[in-house]
Every structure is written in structure tokens, then in C-alpha cells.
Amino acid sequence: MANQTDSNADPARAGIIRITLPDGSVRELPRGSRIIDVAKSIGPGLAKVTVGGRVDGNPEILDLRTPLESDCRLELVTADKPDGLAVIRHSASHIMADAICRLWPEVKLSIGPSTDQGFYYDIDLEHRLTDDDLRRIEEEMAKIIAEDTPFERCTIERDASLDRFAKDGEVYKVELIEGIPEDEELTVFRHGGGAFEDLCRGPHVPSTGYVKAFKLLNVAGAYWRGDETRPMLQRVYGTAFWKKKDLDSWLHRREEAQRRDHRRLGKELDLFTFHPWAPASPFFLPKGATIYNLLVDTMREKYRRFGYQEVITPQIFDVELWKRSGHWDKYKDNMYFTQVDKAEYGVKPMNCPSHTLIFAARLHSYRDLPVRMADFGRLHRYERSGVTAGLTRVRTFCQDDAHIFCREDQIADEISGVIKLLKEVYDDFRFPELLVFLSTRPEMSIGSDEIWEKAESALRDALETNGIEYTVNPGDGAFYGPKIDFVVKDALEREWQLGTVQLDFVMPERFGLEYDDQAGGKSRPVMIHRAILGSIERFMGILIEHFGGVFPVWMSPIQVRVITISDAHKPYAEKVLKELQTAGFRVDSDFSKDRMGGKIRIAETQKIPYTLVVGEKEASESTVAVRARGRKNLGSMSLEDFMDRMRSEVMDKK
RNA sequence: GCCAGAGUAGCUCAAUGGUAGAGCACAGCUUUCGUAAAGCUGGGGUUGCGGGUUCGAUUCCCGCCUCUGGCUCCA
């Protein structure tokens, strides 16, 4: 198994091997000891949670029962860590497949891997599985787990297994085997004393009893091999954890995510609505429009400081523009078209081509560069029905879009500037964690190898100059150039791709862009496409979920509500309201005849940051009683003091 | 686009092959109240749209639209 380096010269020690653990400690065990024996030698507690091991830094997780034949480095994989969880979940998917086979013997199995969140199995079954069926499958799984039979790994002979799977009608397994190289060893895993067997590389937990906490979640359609021309299978999703407690907290977090769903909060808080006559196109209500405009205002304020200039461009262009830019070839099926004066026009799905027209409309000196052109233009993209969702995937939206036209020697500085701006923005919206990805040339792309090479290395340089850690996503670039993507983590630790910086040598060439260079000749500028929030609509959806609708004061559609205790205090309350309005706060009032407790309750459900209560005492003392969102009565203070407090909170973007 | 599920009052949800119901919200009246729900009364529905079966359809069947969970896609 492991390397044969020092061949135990001492004959007395010939039966002993040295196992080096990740902390550097060394354990000596008899040759042929299994991975589980190493864990046992350290402690019974560890042995219980160990589900596999990695030898000599090899990423493959080996089964617990793998014997160690020589000195090696060993990393134990435990069930409470992501790696070990994957083993448990993979085993859970086998158990689920077994349960389904017991209930519907005619089922054909395809694949059943573990995922970040759990596991699934894609099956071909005439009967459409319902939620009740899931409960039945769970019961059957519980039986298999209670039986606690070992998972056994067996090597199988290729032709014989092909024959057998073919005979059983397991067409998907046959196709899988045919796809495995001839020289590769084929293995199956069995449990239930051989009653269930599945083609599988492993590893698995030692026995079915290891799967202690699991739940089946839902059924969905999935194409065989992810190919929309192939049959649609039923994908059964589930999840599994080492401990019941972990499963419960995962389920709880899932419920929390559902409670924070922006579609639900958008309705509850009157932020936006939809109508069947404009599918996948949000209508922002006054409160939602307030937030939307705040997002745009935030970017505009930064643009002033970072040297961007905003432009306003047409909505509809002659298709010639889209043919020139390359969008027509690649994206015409996703664009909206209209016929005007016998010419065909396309509604813009992007701003960049029109920005090249602006750039080309006048001469540029090398001294003028960079030109940073920002645009909040409305974009339309036809998205296939079935892919749209709430605000996160819509057919009409606006980006905090900008294009930087610069010289090649300015690329690094410009990208650094974008990164600085981007960090400032994410900080304002309280996304502390930032992940960075570099995406390289995709299969469908335009431009020469040389240009792509140049662009990719420019981005790499910019990241390295800024000391930014990043991961490479091969083949994930835009069709006109490589890009850097920025991903944030929200309050529920979910990852969202927001910002993007794309380097483009192709568009300037297609539109013949040039500037007068220092040598007195013409040079071609580079175009940097960049967005920080991405789509305003999508960003708003993410923000709603990030804050769970509890927006910081500076973003709240209504910042303050004034409520009266009884009608007698209305004149004073009107005065307070007026002063707040004059000072520029977003304020409203509830002077209805409800009781104070009722009005406070309403203000709380609407998640308004501050409620000012005015009654007898406040009117006579010229104060306001301040209640902060979330059961906090801050007591009375003068209106001036309250407004100062608000001003500083807004200033600090609290 | 594909597979599956859903659509009933402004919202959340009941119910039935034979006049469609609750809570909240809304309106009116009473109550003028000190930090998360006062009381009474009332209005409100072509049960998503269109067609079919039926004496009768919101319920059963067919088509369409929209939404939801996934798959594929995402400049």
C-alpha cells in the first residue's frame, strides 16, 4: 500500500511499521494493521468516529479496513469533518437505493453521490415518488440501518459484471461500466450480506449502523448524465450527519433560510410584487424602490470618489450592433427583438457595446486614459421559463455596470482600484468574507490565443500584486475574455457570486477603438468590464436574506415611526413628524385609535428601526420616548438628541 | 425548455360533485389607552384562465398561464 522506503533493516522489528500522523507523532504497529487499528491505538473515542484514512497525502479516502503494509504517513478521516461526512452520506445513498429496491424491485439505479449538503440518488422508476413514499423509504432505511450489516468491497470481473447488469436491465450501470477505462479495476460495494450491491469506487463506512442521523428531503427531475437530450430520471435528495444534533441544527438552519426567503419577506414588507403579465419581472413598491435607489446612490457616491463618469444609453439598437459585438451569434436566443422601419432592432442585454460607441465618438489621447464609464441602464434578457426565481434570476434588471478603457500599462492599477472599491462596498453591506476566483478561457470564445494569454496573465499579475488569494476556475471565463469573480458569504454562511472584473481585448478590436499614443501613433485600448453589486435586483434579494428583512437604519425604507398614545397628543406628534421629515429622515406615523401596544406590535412586525412614542409626558416635556426595534425601550430624550443619534448611525452605515 | 408539485378573500390557510369558510388585514361604531394583539358589527370571492363531462364543477377530465422544488442554461 505505502511506499517501500526504509525496508526495516532490523530483523527484530521486521513485523513493525511506523505510522506518521499529521501532528508529526509516530505510532508503531504490526505490519498489516488496518487504518481502524491505528485509530484504536490512539483512543476508542477516535476509533468510533473514524470512517477512513488518507495515506501519504493521497487525496483518495481509503476504507477503514485497508491494511497498512509499510511505513507511511496517515491522516485519519473522521465523521465530524466534511470529508468524513461525505463518506457517511455516500453510504446513506446506498442504503436509500437499497430501500427503494426493496419497495420497488423494478427500479433502475444510476448514480448516487454525496454533495455539500447531503446526498442524492438518480433512479429510473415508472412510479412517481411522493412525499408519502419518502417517509416509507425512510422507514425501510431505518430497518437496513438497524440490521447493521457490513459494507463489503469486492472487485468484479468486467465482462461478467457487464453481462449481469445487462441481464438485470440496469442500462445505466452498463453505460457507466462502459465508460470506465479497460485497465481500471471495477469494484462493487455490498451490504445486507450481499442482498444489495452497487457499482461503486467507495469508500464506505464499515457497516450500515454508522448512518445514525438522516432525512430524505425531496424528489426532483434530473437528466441522465446532466444532458437534456437524455432521459429524465427521478432524483431523490436526502442528507445525513454523524449525530442527530447536527442533523437537527442543519434542518433548523434550513427553516431559518426559508423564513428569510426574500420572496416571502418582499411580500410581507411590501418591497416588491410580480404579475403574470410580466413574468420574472419585478415591480418595486415604494419601500422596495427606496432600497433599490439607496443601492444605486451608494454606488454613485463611490463613483465620484473613484473617478467614474456616469452615462445614459439607448435601450434598443439596430441588430448590426449586436452582430458586431458578437452577442447576436452567441445570445440571440436570449434577446428580445422588435421590427421598426423595416429594420430589426434588439433590446440591450448588456451595456458594453454602446459604451464602445461612446468611446469611439471622439478622439482620445493616451493622457485621457483611463476612461471609467458607468451605466445603470435597464437590461433585458430572455431567460427560459423554469430558470427564473424571485429577484435572483429575472428577465429585466440593472447592473452597477462600468467599463474602463485604459492602456495596457494601466491594467494592474485599474484592477487594484476596482478591488479597493469593491471591498469598500461589501464592507458597507456587512459582507465581511470575500472569496476570489480567476476564470480562464471557455470553449465557446472569440479572440486569438495570444490575446487570451495576455489577458489571463494580466489578471493573475493584478491579483498577485495585491496579495489576494484566489482559486482558478478553468474554462469559466466570458466569451470575450477572462475574469475575476468575487464571492461573499451571507449571514447564513451561504455563498453568493457578486462582483466580477473581466478583461477584454476583443471588443475594442471589433469596434476599432483606438487612442493617440505617446509615440504619435494609434494604439488600441483595453476594456475592463466590471460590476460590484452585479444585478441590483439580485443584490437586493441577497441583502434581504442576509439581513432577514432587518435592514440597518441607513437602508431601512422607513427609519422612524411616530405613534401617539391617544388623540390628545396628535398635535405634538404632528410637530415631531414634521421636524423629522424636514431633517430628511424617512419617517411615517401611526395616529390611529389603536392602543399603544398594538401600534408597537405593528411597527415591530414591519421591522422599523425606531418607534417614537409620544403621550402626555413627552408633550409636556418636549421629548420623545424612543423604542428601538426588538424589545428595547431606550427611554425619553429630546428630539434633537434622537436625531443626532440617527445621523451618526446613518453616517456609520449602522 | 424538461420532470414533479401548487394556484380558494389583500395575506396565511380550511372545505365540498349540490348556495365557499376561519384568523389576520380592511371599513364602521364603542374604548383614549405608557412599550409586541381592546370589544362589537360589517363589506369582501366568476375558487388562475379557457374548454369538456354532468341536471349541476371550485371539486372530475383536457389545454394554457403563473409560481415552487430540481435538471439543463446563466454574456
Side-chain angles (χ1 to χ4, degrees), chain A residues 605-644:
Chain A
T605 58
Q606 294 175 354
K607 305 187 199 297
I608 295 170
Y610 287 105
T611 307
L612 301 186
V613 180
V614 302
E616 191 56 44
K617 185 163 164 279
E618 289 72 27
S620 64
E621 293 173 356
S622 285
T623 57
V624 288
V626 180
R627 182 191 160 99
R629 184 169 49 191
R631 299 170 195 281
K632 282 178 287 182
N633 184 355
L634 305 180
S636 290
M637 61 181 80
S638 74
L639 187 57
E640 240 353 281
D641 285 351
F642 172 72
M643 291 199 295
D644 282 344

Side-chain angles (χ1 to χ4, degrees), chain A residues 388-406:
Chain A
T388 58
L391 293 183
T392 48
R393 189 90 179 263
V394 290
R395 288 182 178 159
T396 170
F397 60 101
C398 135
Q399 297 174 322
D400 61 326
D401 198 11
H403 296 97
I404 301 172
F405 299 88
C406 68

Side-chain angles (χ1 to χ4, degrees), chain A residues 8 10-17 28-33 68-69:
Chain A
N8 301 318
D10 180 357
R13 297 175 56 86
I16 299 292
I17 53 169
E28 298 193 337
L29 278 99
R31 183 181 305 277
S33 291
L68 302 170
E69 300 295 351

Side-chain angles (χ1 to χ4, degrees), chain A residues 117-169:
Chain A
Q117 301 288 313
F119 62 88
Y120 64 81
Y121 213 113
D122 284 352
I123 60 167
D124 186 351
L125 179 64
E126 189 90 12
H127 170 72
R128 297 293 152 194
L129 294 175
T130 63
D131 283 351
D132 286 343
D133 291 332
L134 291 189
R135 304 290 83 84
R136 284 175 67 201
I137 298 168
E138 280 178 345
E139 282 168 26
E140 204 61 40
M141 288 173 72
K143 286 183 208 162
I144 297 166
I145 290 163
E147 288 160 14
D148 196 20
T149 57
F151 273 94
E152 295 162 301
R153 179 179 188 274
C154 312
T155 306
I156 53 169
E157 201 272 313
R158 192 183 183 91
D159 292 336
S161 65
L162 270 177
D163 286 350
R164 216 188 61 228
F165 280 122
K167 203 170 99 245
D168 293 347

Side-chain angles (χ1 to χ4, degrees), chain A residues 103 108 192 223 342 406 414 446 485 532 543 573 646:
Chain A
L103 294 166
K108 290 181 192 133
Y223 299 109
K342 289 182 209 153
C406 68
E414 285 308 307
I446 54 179
D485 288 322
I532 290 172
L543 262 194
M646 288 276 294

Side-chain angles (χ1 to χ4, degrees), chain A residues 284 292 315 348 351 376-380 396-398 537:
Chain A
F284 287 99
Y292 186 104
Q315 202 62 46
K348 69 176 166 188
N351 292 310
F376 292 101
R378 181 137 299 272
L379 308 177
H380 289 79
T396 170
F397 60 101
C398 135
E537 281 74 2

Side-chain angles (χ1 to χ4, degrees), chain A residues 472-508:
Chain A
V472 177
N473 276 341
D476 212 26
F479 74 95
Y480 47 70
K483 59 177 183 171
I484 304 172
D485 288 322
F486 299 88
V487 172
V488 297
K489 274 194 188 176
D490 74 5
L492 297 180
E493 299 273 301
R494 294 171 302 184
E495 294 180 3
W496 299 98
Q497 201 245 295
L498 296 179
T500 178
V501 183
Q502 305 174 359
L503 211 48
D504 181 0
F505 291 88
V506 175
M507 210 67 71

